[in-house]
Amino acid sequence: MQINGSSDGRIAHYFWLVIYMITYNNLYPRIYSVFNLALAWKKARKGKTKKDYVIEFEKDILNNLLTLQEELKNETYKPKPLETFILRDPKTRKISKSDFRDRIVHHALCNILEPIFDKIFIYDSCANRKNKGNLFAIKRFYYFIKKVSRNGKINGWFNSNQIKGYCLKADIKHYFQEVDHNILIRIIENKISDNQTMNLIKLILINGQEKEEIGMPLGNLTSQFFANIYLNKLDYFVKHKLKAKYYVDDFIILHSSKEQLIKWKEQITNFLKEELRLELHPEKSRIISLSRGIDFVGFRNFYYHKLLRKRNINKILIKIGQYKLGNLTKENLFESYQGWQAYAKWADTYRLRAIISKEIDYFDL
């Protein structure tokens, strides 16, 4: 909701604030309601209807959902151990996979909490939010480039090779492994005063943790959602304390002054250490001239064009190779190709897409 400064705007703001606060202490029944669990089940099964564990759960869907509801209602619900595996795409990551019924609970929780917290996220918080995501982030990035560089003009003339301005491109070191449970819980408790809901959150947090009260499993829907809540403090610090106008989370800051970005980087480093017990990655956090091009959300971005990163090109080439070796079905290759093509078209890839398309057509997909 936007506050327009008028009396009507202020009245509307305080009205919704009161409603907002009243609903926070009675959320748990909404989480385990049959309607919400059914909605959560539909979300959890999306794109996985042919999986054995989904088929098995749906053999007695009504009874399984009612049993899950009863466990949540009586607070006897216990998540099953996580299934972990290593993913190398392109860097090595440890992914944790929850049991299907636990994923339904994750969706049920997020169904109720997301609308509450989404209202307090900054406009340019993009990760895992409805109507946001990578394409929204890249559009904002180019809007910010034009603002910082004054539409690419140097002394009144446009020069795409000498774009004025700099970018602080930063990454948080081992973010999911280092999230502090106590800090996260305090942040959530500022908005949620429902003890039963908080107990469920704590139950999900401690499931499969390797360090005591530290870290979240990479792969859980709830981990992605909690990550946004945790870093919302950083977003507010950057936007309202540092007053950085051109900031997109996950995260980059643009400014015409390199010295200003150096100062902000130091302040962000201190804030992360003192408030969130996190640190910037020393090798992945640096200040870059906009004229050199900026790697962001899968593209190498210049003022007047963008290129697809090599690893994103390699992804589809690897899939084609797997299909040739008989390790990938025709349906899976086509699905991967469709997704890759939809993303690649946002870059200057006309010739590349023509080559890949010709290769795909050869297989008569």
Side-chain angles (χ1 to χ4, degrees), residues 272-288:
L272 286 172
K273 181 179 180 180
E274 295 169 5
E275 298 293 330
L276 298 177
R277 296 183 184 176
L278 299 172
E279 61 178 300
L280 292 180
H281 197 296
E283 298 174 3
K284 298 180 181 180
S285 302
R286 54 200 179 101
I287 297 169
I288 311 164

Side-chain angles (χ1 to χ4, degrees), residues 182-200:
N182 292 323
I183 295 175
L184 174 61
I185 288 169
R186 284 200 300 269
I187 294 173
I188 296 175
E189 284 179 337
N190 287 334
K191 295 296 178 186
I192 307 299
S193 57
D194 186 331
N195 290 332
Q196 291 175 301
T197 299
M198 292 307 306
N199 288 338
L200 178 60

Side-chain angles (χ1 to χ4, degrees), residues 143-300:
Y143 173 75
F144 291 161
I145 284 182
K146 291 181 180 180
K147 288 290 185 178
V148 169
S149 67
R150 293 184 298 169
N151 291 325
K153 293 180 179 178
I154 304 294
N155 297 325
W157 295 90
F158 175 80
N159 188 334
S160 62
N161 295 320
Q162 298 181 28
I163 298 298
K164 181 181 179 182
Y166 298 88
C167 171
L168 167 58
K169 186 175 186 298
D171 187 41
I172 295 176
K173 184 178 180 181
H174 301 153
Y175 173 51
F176 279 89
Q177 297 98 309
E178 298 299 329
V179 166
D180 187 296
H181 291 186
N182 292 323
I183 295 175
L184 174 61
I185 288 169
R186 284 200 300 269
I187 294 173
I188 296 175
E189 284 179 337
N190 287 334
K191 295 296 178 186
I192 307 299
S193 57
D194 186 331
N195 290 332
Q196 291 175 301
T197 299
M198 292 307 306
N199 288 338
L200 178 60
I201 290 172
K202 293 172 185 176
L203 198 61
I204 292 171
L205 277 176
I206 65 174
N207 187 38
Q209 71 175 41
E210 295 181 355
K211 300 179 184 178
E212 186 176 355
E213 299 181 338
I214 296 290
M216 298 187 298
L218 186 61
N220 273 3
L221 171 70
T222 48
S223 296
Q224 298 168 3
F225 174 56
F226 294 152
N228 282 354
I229 294 175
Y230 201 78
L231 284 185
N232 189 51
K233 289 193 69 174
L234 173 64
D235 294 341
Y236 270 67
F237 175 75
V238 172
K239 292 293 290 185
H240 301 297
K241 184 69 175 180
L242 302 185
K243 299 190 183 302
K245 290 183 179 180
Y246 308 123
Y247 165 73
V248 182
D249 74 339
D250 197 28
F251 71 84
I252 61 169
I253 306 176
L254 276 61
H255 201 277
S256 59
S257 168
K258 185 176 182 179
E259 289 70 27
Q260 180 64 76
L261 290 178
I262 292 173
K263 181 180 178 180
W264 281 348
K265 183 182 177 184
E266 182 179 353
Q267 290 174 298
I268 289 170
T269 298
N270 293 335
F271 176 84
L272 286 172
K273 181 179 180 180
E274 295 169 5
E275 298 293 330
L276 298 177
R277 296 183 184 176
L278 299 172
E279 61 178 300
L280 292 180
H281 197 296
E283 298 174 3
K284 298 180 181 180
S285 302
R286 54 200 179 101
I287 297 169
I288 311 164
S289 170
L290 292 177
S291 62
R292 290 179 53 191
I294 309 298
D295 283 339
F296 185 55
V297 296
F299 303 109
R300 186 160 180 80

Side-chain angles (χ1 to χ4, degrees), residues 17 50 65 213 225 299 353:
L17 183 61
K50 295 181 180 180
L65 286 179
E213 299 181 338
F225 174 56
F299 303 109
R353 285 184 286 121

Side-chain angles (χ1 to χ4, degrees), residues 301-332:
N301 301 277
F302 299 86
Y303 181 85
Y304 217 60
H305 69 286
K306 64 176 74 71
L307 303 175
L308 202 62
R309 294 178 66 178
K310 289 184 179 179
R311 75 181 189 188
N312 286 4
I313 299 173
N314 289 336
K315 282 183 179 181
I316 190 63
L317 295 179
I318 290 172
K319 294 291 185 181
I320 291 174
Q322 289 175 335
Y323 177 75
K324 288 180 178 179
L325 293 173
N327 297 327
L328 194 70
T329 66
K330 181 182 291 189
E331 291 76 13
N332 287 338

